[in-house]
Amino acid sequence: MRGLSKVIEKIILYEIRRAIARKKVITLIIITFLFEIGTYVLLDYAKSTHTAARFLSSIHEYVWLIGVLLPQSFLIHFIAISISAGSMAEEYEHGTMDFLLTKPITRLSFISGKFIGGYVLLTLMYGLMVIISLFLSFFYFGTQVYLNFLPELFGAVVFSALTFYSIAFLVGEIIRRGNIAFLVASVILVTSVALVDVLILLSTLTRNLSYLSISMYFPTWGAEEFPYSIAINIPGAYFLVEGLSLFGGTPGSPLLSSLSIIAYSVVPIFISIYTFLHRDIPKRVF
Amino acid sequence: MNYSIIVEDLWKRYGSENILNGISINVEKGGITALLGPNGSGKTTTIRIIVGLIFPDRGKVEILGHNPFRDKDLFKKVGYVQEIPNLPGFFTARQLLEFSASMKGVSRSEVRRVLELVELKDVENKKIAKFSKGMVQRLAIAEALLGSPEVLILDEPYMGTDPIITMHIRDLIRRISKEYGVSVLMTSHIMEDVKELAQDIYVIYKGRIIFHGTKEDLVKQFLGTRVIIESRNLEALKRAISELNYVSGIEDIDKEKIMVTLKEDKREELLDYLISKGVKVKSFYLDLDLDRAYERAVKGDRENNPL
């Protein structure tokens, strides 16, 4: 058992190293920096206008939430897709699967290490965003409150990112082409976001709640809603959290949204493992 | 007989096409076995099944008595070089070998040994992405040799290498097999390899083994027994030989050499006869025109089993 975990650990480190070596991931890290810095620079600039200054003064102690929750709406899922779509697919494309699978490692350990490795990288990248956001919040807006919610929120965002991380991982394993897998998973994300928005709009216009119920079956619903369902409990942060939420006003509990995340993650993970354990490893795909 | 690799009745089908039709191969312990065949004959598919990358539809594979699909620890004792090695380009040569050594549970001192063995010590800190084809090939061989494996499986180990590197790799294979008793299974297009290295040959064509034996057997079976005789007096030699009923043909090679085709293997009798006739012979040896024998083997099978 110890030997097995050591082997998985080696693949995890391999995966992190491999992902960082890719230009795509480096670009994402730069985007992460720019996103966080840009957000706070803009908020600071907004202080100079009268209306915005009044609004910001009422939430200035909660500004850390903006940097922590804003990536959750889209960026974190996009980063998750970028990392996981190529995780398996690029090994096929580069022909390195042969090299890796002719080592003393089972296919199950290998795919586990690959999955965990990419997920650890995603967590580290989000951690970096949170650190930047905290630093800039203190720097531009002074003392921040209710930071005791941060670990729970951090965990919720990382957990919710699992949905599209798993979907893209599965698409990559099945299609075995990194760029196409990235495209397909991104289309699923965007389509799901768009359809849920349309359903919320229909529900508002027709006052028919069944549209909202349908929206809860989409993968983005749980993935988007879960961290907000926790953040909404922060005293005095209700309006800010509602404003940040992409699906504001959607009913649902942390339990329901976490079940959605689990369902949309576990199924792709199992299918990925099953296909990887039973399919042939082809020669390099050109 | 003691075998390192046993392949029994392998079948593989892709769509409607049968890629392998009951392949059986045995690789002797400490020996070098070559798997020959034209492109698309099933060599690489066979090798990929042996190393557990492709599942056979039917059949059995054993390496050192273990199933490569189930017992992955086996790969601590097996080195594999794929056809056109694809190694993670972001690693340096040293990093790759250290990664591989840690996977195989081999000490780091091994890294230095294998780097020196393939003469890549000078470029150990260079990224693999910047390596030439020949360097990648040598690095792949170094990687396969980590931890002194008992079995080496090489799929076209000279693909894309220049003649000097080819010679270097060939010497290396010969040395490790001879000095360390490593069993080698290799595929190749190059007859020179077979001539110099392989003790045992399998010819595969359209997913079937159409020949198995030694290189002498291959030549004998497809070209007959052909002897090259060198003598200063070719006329006397030819006159003496023409009287023999087991000689089916005589062909001039140059001013002092002829090639004699025998209906059956009566080499010793022929030599005794020449000596008894007083014909002075400078040299007398079996012609191993493997290229032609191999061509004949494949062509013959192609004629018997057209596409």
Side-chain angles (χ1 to χ4, degrees):
Chain A
M1 198 66 192
R2 227 172 116 191
L4 179 74
S5 63
K6 272 199 168 176
V7 171
I8 295 178
E9 195 183 300
K10 277 166 199 153
I11 298 297
I12 291 172
L13 291 174
Y14 166 85
E15 179 59 8
I16 294 174
R17 214 162 162 179
R18 188 196 71 85
I20 290 173
R22 288 157 66 211
K23 281 180 190 147
K24 207 191 276 176
V25 174
I26 300 291
T27 311
L28 284 173
I29 292 173
I30 295 168
I31 290 172
T32 303
F33 263 104
L34 293 177
F35 177 83
E36 289 292 346
I37 293 168
T39 303
Y40 283 95
V41 167
L42 279 175
L43 285 172
D44 184 51
Y45 175 75
K47 280 196 287 191
S48 59
T49 61
H50 183 66
T51 328
R54 247 179 50 198
F55 172 69
L56 283 171
S57 70
S58 67
I59 60 153
H60 74 277
E61 287 174 315
Y62 298 94
V63 169
W64 65 275
L65 270 172
I66 298 174
V68 170
L69 284 177
L70 206 54
Q72 158 65 20
S73 298
F74 199 78
L75 188 61
I76 194 81
H77 304 296
F78 184 70
I79 294 173
I81 289 171
S82 301
I83 293 172
S84 71
S87 180
M88 296 294 279
E90 283 170 7
E91 302 289 3
Y92 294 112
E93 281 178 311
H94 300 156
T96 39
M97 201 60 104
D98 282 27
F99 163 76
L100 294 159
L101 290 183
T102 48
K103 299 287 158 293
I105 182 168
T106 62
R107 288 194 184 198
L108 183 62
S109 303
F110 178 77
I111 195 168
S112 306
K114 292 285 281 181
F115 187 89
I116 299 167
Y119 194 59
V120 168
L121 180 68
L122 175 67
T123 308
L124 291 174
M125 283 175 76
Y126 180 60
L128 181 71
M129 287 168 121
V130 169
I131 291 168
I132 297 171
S133 129
L134 287 179
F135 173 76
L136 295 174
S137 303
F138 277 93
F139 182 75
Y140 285 118
F141 296 92
T143 313
Q144 302 293 298
V145 294
Y146 294 111
L147 286 173
N148 54 319
F149 277 86
L150 183 61
E152 201 182 342
L153 270 184
F154 182 85
V157 172
V158 170
F159 175 58
S160 66
L162 195 57
T163 304
F164 281 93
Y165 181 83
S166 308
I167 291 172
F169 191 84
L170 168 67
V171 178
E173 165 53 25
I174 287 180
I175 297 179
R176 295 178 170 186
R177 293 281 204 286
N179 287 336
I180 300 175
F182 173 75
L183 202 69
V184 171
S186 301
V187 166
I188 296 172
L189 171 67
V190 173
T191 310
S192 179
V193 168
L195 287 176
V196 170
D197 277 348
V198 169
L199 288 167
I200 291 171
L201 182 70
L202 280 174
S203 174
T204 316
L205 293 175
T206 60
R207 298 191 179 180
N208 184 348
L209 284 176
S210 59
Y211 288 116
L212 282 183
S213 307
I214 297 168
S215 75
M216 290 164 75
Y217 291 99
F218 284 81
T220 36
W221 180 77
E224 294 284 353
E225 192 60 21
F226 185 61
Y228 291 104
S229 65
I230 289 167
I232 214 120
N233 298 322
I234 299 173
Y238 182 84
F239 289 109
L240 176 63
V241 172
E242 275 291 292
L244 289 171
S245 170
L246 200 66
F247 304 140
T250 315
S253 64
L255 179 69
L256 274 179
S257 46
S258 61
L259 280 177
S260 163
I261 294 168
I262 290 169
Y264 275 109
S265 307
V266 168
V267 174
I269 291 170
F270 271 105
I271 300 173
S272 306
I273 292 173
Y274 182 83
T275 55
F276 185 61
L277 295 190
H278 293 90
R279 276 171 88 188
D280 290 338
I281 307 296
K283 276 206 284 185
R284 184 178 180 179
V285 186
F286 287 97
Chain B
M1 189 64 73
N2 227 344
Y3 297 118
S4 294
I5 302 175
I6 298 171
V7 173
E8 263 177 38
D9 197 28
L10 279 192
W11 290 78
K12 183 71 185 175
R13 194 182 176 89
Y14 283 124
S16 60
E17 198 184 347
N18 271 336
I19 305 296
L20 300 182
N21 301 292
I23 296 282
S24 294
I25 293 169
N26 292 322
V27 175
E28 283 176 30
K29 262 193 180 152
I32 301 179
T33 299
L35 185 57
L36 300 176
N39 288 335
S41 56
K43 298 188 299 285
T44 297
T45 305
T46 306
I47 293 287
R48 294 177 73 80
I49 291 176
I50 292 173
V51 295
L53 293 170
I54 295 179
F55 297 100
D57 296 334
R58 209 169 82 200
K60 186 182 110 177
V61 179
E62 263 185 22
I63 306 178
L64 301 169
H66 297 271
N67 181 333
F69 293 95
R70 273 188 234 129
D71 188 358
K72 290 291 176 180
D73 263 1
L74 167 71
F75 287 92
K76 286 180 180 167
K77 298 176 197 162
V78 177
Y80 164 61
V81 177
Q82 71 193 105
E83 182 189 14
I84 313 172
N86 296 301
L87 305 172
F90 60 89
F91 275 140
T92 65
R94 171 166 280 280
Q95 285 168 345
L96 176 101
L97 293 173
E98 281 175 353
F99 170 74
S100 196
S102 74
M103 294 287 284
K104 290 181 176 181
V106 169
S107 90
R108 283 195 167 195
S109 60
E110 268 289 285
V111 171
R112 193 190 169 87
R113 181 185 75 87
V114 293
L115 275 170
E116 279 167 359
L117 201 64
V118 297
E119 296 172 17
L120 286 177
K121 190 83 184 68
D122 297 345
V123 288
E124 63 176 354
N125 293 317
K126 193 173 170 177
K127 284 253 161 68
I128 296 169
K130 290 179 181 163
F131 273 26
S132 67
K133 270 187 188 174
M135 285 159 85
V136 171
Q137 200 81 34
R138 275 189 287 162
L139 182 61
I141 290 177
E143 194 278 322
L145 292 176
L146 271 172
S148 308
E150 289 175 40
V151 174
L152 259 187
I153 298 168
L154 313 167
D155 193 3
E156 302 281 359
Y158 317 113
M159 192 76 103
T161 59
D162 62 49
I164 295 166
I165 300 295
T166 301
M167 220 160 67
H168 180 84
I169 296 173
R170 198 177 287 150
D171 287 343
L172 201 65
I173 296 168
R174 188 188 298 118
R175 230 171 73 203
I176 51 175
S177 172
K178 206 173 171 185
E179 290 174 19
Y180 305 106
V182 176
S183 314
V184 181
L185 171 63
M186 60 188 289
T187 68
S188 183
H189 281 106
I190 309 165
M191 282 303 143
E192 210 57 38
D193 289 342
V194 180
K195 214 180 252 180
E196 286 194 24
L197 299 172
Q199 288 105 32
D200 205 19
I201 300 168
Y202 287 86
V203 179
I204 182 171
Y205 182 62
K206 282 196 210 165
R208 287 182 304 111
I209 298 292
I210 58 168
F211 170 81
H212 170 223
T214 62
K215 45 200 162 197
E216 288 83 6
D217 293 338
L218 181 68
V219 174
K220 270 191 225 166
Q221 188 172 324
F222 294 99
L223 298 176
T225 305
R226 305 195 317 175
V227 184
I228 293 174
I229 309 171
E230 195 178 359
S231 171
R232 283 204 184 111
N233 192 351
L234 272 193
E235 284 313 308
L237 175 66
K238 280 187 193 172
R239 250 196 327 271
I241 288 174
S242 60
E243 293 167 10
L244 299 168
N245 58 6
Y246 55 84
V247 170
S248 61
I250 302 171
E251 214 177 291
D252 287 323
I253 296 177
D254 58 35
K255 280 180 186 171
E256 294 194 343
K257 264 187 211 164
I258 54 167
M259 185 165 67
V260 180
T261 309
L262 308 179
K263 287 175 187 163
E264 49 199 302
D265 191 359
K266 287 192 169 178
R267 280 176 286 168
E268 281 177 37
E269 221 174 302
L270 174 63
L271 190 58
D272 289 344
Y273 170 77
L274 291 175
I275 292 165
S276 71
K277 285 277 178 181
V279 179
K280 286 191 174 166
V281 172
K282 253 168 95 178
S283 65
F284 181 101
Y285 55 90
L286 188 70
D287 172 44
L288 279 179
D289 191 347
L290 287 169
D291 283 303
R292 201 171 292 178
Y294 166 69
E295 189 195 349
R296 209 47 87 77
V298 172
K299 240 185 185 170
D301 197 79
R302 204 174 278 167
E303 278 157 16
N304 294 334
N305 299 288
L307 288 165

